[in-house]
Amino acid sequence: MGASINQIKNMLHITSLHKSYAIGDSSLHVLKGIDLSVETGEMVAIMGSSGSGKSTLLNIIGMLDEADSGTYILDGLPIDDLTEKKAAVYRNKFLGFIFQSFNLINYKSAIENVALPLYYQGLKRKKRLELARFHLGKVGLDAWAEHLPKELSGGQKQRVAIARALAANPKLLLADEPTGALDTKTSHDIMAFIQQLNDEGKTILMVTHEEDIANMCKRIVRLKDGVIIEDTPVDQVRASQYV
Ligand code: ADP
Ligand code: MG
């Protein structure tokens, strides 16, 4: 592989990434040559109007989907032609996910949801529950450990999802519209928490279409018609000033 030392120290290095979806007999070219590097410790917002390819890009970065062409290096590791099994192992080891719709398992309690990814790490049940309780505590939900998702507010559900994403100590946290289903106050509350994680060193890549949320990140990458049209640093707004 031709990856230079410089590329290898990036958390993420993407070049000339393309992705099309087949729709009947035709195809929709969604990503048209994306070049993107993210360093360890960054907090990046990916912005763009609905349909601009934000989720597609995030899903490829998250190894939930595959690009048609281009290169993708994650923490020095070339990601291409992975078997499903290997992709799952890398996903579990390197990545945490947060989604707009929380994606919690409805019939499992908060603590069981948080413990679930640890199962795939081969930890014993006692250790899994211990770690899950620790991470639930970090998001302030100690008292809610045994509750089902339907008994929690939107903000609490997203906190459980954050705890779950962090349980396996991922190198990179990926969030697709993490505040998209929350009211303004709860959004700021969640963003304050995500900023704190970044302050502690976690690398964060977040999709959003809300300017105020993007301004709480340190860098904004704008997508339009499948290409990056802007990539600028921002003076981060602290969510805590609203909370
Ligand atoms: P965004 O997250 O920016 O709203 P997406 O990445 O979800 O955009 O989608 C980009 C485009 O690709 C949209 O036109 C969408 O309809 C289309 N698309 C997304 N996923 C699929 C899929 N699995 N099959 C076909 N088309 C898709
Ligand atoms: Mg999307």
Side-chain angles (χ1 to χ4, degrees):
M1 293 292 303
S4 73
I5 293 297
N6 191 37
Q7 289 166 354
I8 283 169
K9 77 173 192 216
N10 296 130
M11 174 61 75
L12 185 153
H13 187 76
I14 283 172
T15 57
S16 308
L17 201 80
H18 285 260
K19 175 73 178 179
S20 297
Y21 290 113
I23 299 184
D25 288 340
S26 64
S27 98
L28 181 67
H29 198 175
V30 177
L31 301 179
K32 303 173 183 169
I34 300 289
D35 298 311
L36 178 67
S37 284
V38 175
E39 305 290 329
T40 300
E42 281 202 282
M43 180 165 177
V44 183
I46 299 173
M47 292 203 76
S49 52
S50 178
S52 59
K54 305 182 297 293
S55 293
T56 300
L57 178 59
L58 203 77
N59 289 345
I60 292 171
I61 290 171
M63 290 183 264
L64 297 168
D65 200 356
E66 267 182 288
D68 298 329
S69 63
T71 65
Y72 171 23
I73 297 171
L74 174 63
D75 197 37
L77 201 72
I79 305 297
D80 54 64
D81 284 333
L82 292 181
T83 60
E84 279 289 318
K85 203 173 159 192
K86 231 172 174 185
V89 169
Y90 287 169
R91 249 193 327 266
N92 246 293
K93 202 161 147 194
F94 290 130
L95 304 172
F97 292 90
I98 311 172
F99 301 95
Q100 173 171 355
S101 51
F102 321 123
N103 292 13
L104 299 177
I105 295 178
N106 289 326
Y107 58 85
K108 286 189 183 287
S109 66
I111 190 163
E112 285 170 335
N113 267 283
V114 176
L116 194 60
L118 298 169
Y119 176 84
Y120 300 103
Q121 303 231 329
L123 295 180
K124 294 257 185 295
R125 182 170 165 82
K126 186 164 177 281
K127 184 77 192 157
R128 295 199 300 267
L129 291 176
E130 210 175 282
L131 265 172
R133 193 166 290 279
F134 170 78
H135 284 284
L136 266 184
K138 274 199 81 176
V139 299
L141 289 180
D142 272 318
W144 295 85
E146 312 304 333
H147 287 253
L148 292 173
K150 68 173 181 214
E151 297 164 334
L152 304 176
S153 70
Q156 287 174 325
K157 277 188 263 210
Q158 197 59 302
R159 280 168 183 269
V160 173
I162 291 172
R164 178 184 58 185
L166 294 174
N169 194 24
K171 291 175 189 244
L172 176 62
L173 190 61
L174 300 174
D176 196 346
E177 309 266 9
T179 62
L182 305 174
D183 62 58
T184 307
K185 161 141 195 344
T186 309
S187 294
H188 290 157
D189 194 36
I190 291 292
M191 283 306 293
F193 192 78
I194 294 175
Q195 285 180 325
Q196 191 190 318
L197 293 173
N198 179 245
D199 291 343
E200 292 165 10
K202 196 65 82 188
T203 311
I204 294 164
L205 195 55
M206 174 185 307
V207 163
T208 180
H209 63 266
E210 294 167 280
E211 292 284 345
D212 63 329
I213 297 298
N215 283 322
M216 292 173 191
C217 299
K218 292 176 177 165
R219 171 180 164 199
I220 300 180
V221 171
R222 273 178 220 276
L223 273 184
K224 191 180 177 194
D225 299 329
V227 295
I228 292 175
I229 53 160
E230 199 187 314
D231 185 345
T232 45
V234 291
D235 283 328
Q236 189 184 52
V237 176
R238 300 302 297 189
S240 55
Q241 71 191 74
Y242 297 101
V243 175

